[in-house]
Amino acid sequence: FVLVARIPPHEQQHISASIKGNHLLITGYRSNEETMEIDPGQVLGSAIFQSFHETFPLSWPVISSDVSKEIQGDLVIFRVPKMNQFSIPPDSEKRPDKLQSEASPVNENTAKKTEPYRRNSSSGTLS
C-alpha cells in the first residue's frame, strides 16, 4: 500500500505512521510559539500546539515492522508492504453453527412394517 500526503517541509519531521490492527494510522503535530517585546523587560508570548491522527483501512494483512517514510519535496510517501499470501495462516476449518442431518433413503427390505395398535376392549391392553 502507498499513501502520499502533501505536507509543508517544515512539518514533515512531525508526521509518522504505524499499524493498528488492520488500519494504517497517520499521526502528526505542529507547534508555534510567538513572543513580542512590549516594553523593555516586558514580553508577551503565545504558544499553539495542534495534533491530529487519521486512520486508513487496509484490505490485506501487512508487514507492520516494514512501514517506511520517504520525503520528496513537499510530498511524504508512506509505504506499507503487503504480506505474502503464503504467509497468511489458513482459516480454521469452518463448521456449521447447527448440525444438520439428512434422512437416509429407506430400503424396502430393511424397513420395519408397523401395524396400528389395537386396544383389547376387555382387558384394556394394547395388542
Side-chain angles (χ1 to χ4, degrees), residues 1-59:
F1 295 100
V2 178
L3 177 81
V4 179
R6 190 174 303 276
I7 307 291
H10 63 280
E11 295 179 356
Q12 291 174 349
Q13 70 272 12
H14 303 296
I15 304 293
S16 63
S18 62
I19 303 296
K20 298 290 181 194
N22 61 346
H23 288 81
L24 172 64
L25 175 65
I26 305 293
T27 58
Y29 71 90
R30 71 171 73 165
S31 62
N32 187 20
E33 289 187 38
E34 294 181 8
T35 59
M36 185 169 86
E37 188 173 346
I38 299 174
D39 289 324
Q42 266 190 331
V43 177
L44 181 65
S46 67
I48 297 172
F49 181 83
Q50 296 176 322
S51 65
F52 71 91
H53 69 276
E54 187 74 32
T55 59
F56 301 90
L58 302 172
S59 60

Side-chain angles (χ1 to χ4, degrees), residues 4-5 23 65 73 88 96 116 119 125:
V4 179
H23 288 81
S65 60
I88 301 170
R119 182 176 292 275
T125 60

Side-chain angles (χ1 to χ4, degrees), residues 16 23 49 54 57 59 69 71 74 79 85 89 106 110-112 114 118:
S16 63
H23 288 81
F49 181 83
E54 187 74 32
S59 60
K69 174 181 166 183
I71 298 174
D74 64 346
R79 296 182 192 279
Q85 69 181 5
V106 177
T110 60
K112 245 183 165 179
T114 59
R118 295 189 190 137

